[in-house]
Amino acid sequence: QSVLTQPPSVSGAPGQRVTIPCTGSNSNLGAGYDAHWYQQLPGTAPKLLIYGNNNRPSGVPDRFSGSKSGTSASLAISGLQVEDEADYYCQSFDSGRDVFGAGTKVTVL
Amino acid sequence: QVQLQESGPGLVKPSETLSLTCTVSGGSMNTYYWSWIRQPPGKGLEWIGHIYYSGSTNYNSSLKSRVTISVDTSKNQVSLKLSSMTAADTAVYYCVRRVSYSYHMDVWGQGTTVTVSS
């Protein structure tokens, strides 16, 4: 059971907007710790997608955006593209340890 | 451009100790945490632990009795030792740089696959 809860899968047609929720608690996101998001393409290492709730590293398209409110965070992908098909993980900090969600598989229909 | 490269045995026998090394190139180890993350086949990411460049450590409580992470800044290396290996420890092991101020993980190694089998 992950400390951060994500849906196992979401899907959308090319061009659509999808969102991935990440639900935490008062000991992690609700305590003020940031949410971060990673994209893992098949067979590759995870890559930082969003840090500090809503910041994109250099090179990440602005189709990806993040937000956080209270004990929840979310990742939005607008203008969904075939190459966005991947697993997405949220991460935060809780009780002295780094914690991850179980991951969400995004399928482009 | 900082790069991380994991190295170590791909096959470990049950009950043995896994030893992995991560070599950091293209940048300083100072002011960062250095983490080990693993991913069992078909599953999600699990935080093993991390070490600050100065040497202080923090471990996943579920692995704490078996894990040791060390750093050698003179060699630009971080090491992981995991004892009493079982099949449940079969996974891809990643070396990761963790940023001090917001705890995000901004640089990942390519990962090394470790299989536990006799």
Side-chain angles (χ1 to χ4, degrees), chain A residues 7-21 77 80-81 84-86 88 104-109:
Chain A
S9 63
V10 299
S11 61
Q16 282 190 330
R17 182 176 187 269
V18 297
T19 61
I20 302 172
I77 311 173
L80 193 64
Q81 298 184 3
D84 298 334
E85 194 160 280
Y88 294 83
T104 298
K105 181 172 182 59
V106 170
T107 301
V108 182
L109 301 172

Side-chain angles (χ1 to χ4, degrees), chain A residues 33-34 36 38 40 44-48 50-52 87 89 91-93 96-103, chain B residues 35 37 39 43-47 50 58-61 94 98 101-111:
Chain A
Y33 294 110
D34 290 340
H36 319 295
Y38 304 88
Q40 186 174 32
T44 69
K47 165 193 160 186
L48 180 65
I50 296 287
Y51 68 95
D87 293 323
Y89 295 90
Q91 178 240 324
S92 188
F93 189 75
R97 59 190 173 130
D98 289 317
V99 291
F100 289 94
Chain B
S35 304
I37 308 292
Q39 185 172 35
K43 296 188 178 181
L45 304 171
E46 180 183 26
W47 175 72
H50 60 233
N58 198 5
Y59 300 135
N60 187 325
S61 59
Y94 295 102
R98 178 183 186 262
Y101 64 88
S102 86
Y103 305 162
H104 65 273
M105 302 178 189
D106 65 341
V107 181
W108 293 66
Q110 67 182 25

Side-chain angles (χ1 to χ4, degrees), chain B:
Chain B
Q1 182 84 358
V2 174
Q3 292 186 315
L4 310 180
Q5 180 66 59
E6 305 91 346
S7 59
L11 181 64
V12 177
K13 289 183 168 55
S15 80
E16 289 189 341
T17 295
L18 170 68
S19 293
L20 295 178
T21 299
C22 171
T23 301
V24 180
S25 59
S28 171
M29 297 189 75
N30 291 351
T31 76
Y32 290 100
Y33 289 88
W34 301 90
S35 304
W36 287 95
I37 308 292
R38 71 180 182 178
Q39 185 172 35
K43 296 188 178 181
L45 304 171
E46 180 183 26
W47 175 72
I48 298 172
H50 60 233
I51 188 165
Y52 197 42
Y53 76 101
S54 60
S56 61
T57 56
N58 198 5
Y59 300 135
N60 187 325
S61 59
S62 68
L63 300 171
K64 190 171 184 177
S65 63
R66 300 195 290 131
V67 175
T68 302
I69 297 176
S70 58
V71 65
D72 186 337
T73 54
S74 67
K75 294 182 179 179
N76 271 18
Q77 289 182 335
V78 186
S79 297
L80 168 71
K81 290 189 187 302
L82 184 62
S83 64
S84 304
M85 294 281 282
T86 71
D89 296 312
T90 293
V92 177
Y93 286 73
Y94 295 102
C95 174
V96 184
R97 189 176 80 171
R98 178 183 186 262
V99 177
S100 306
Y101 64 88
S102 86
Y103 305 162
H104 65 273
M105 302 178 189
D106 65 341
V107 181
W108 293 66
Q110 67 182 25
T112 187
T113 300
V114 176
T115 301
V116 182
S117 175
S118 55

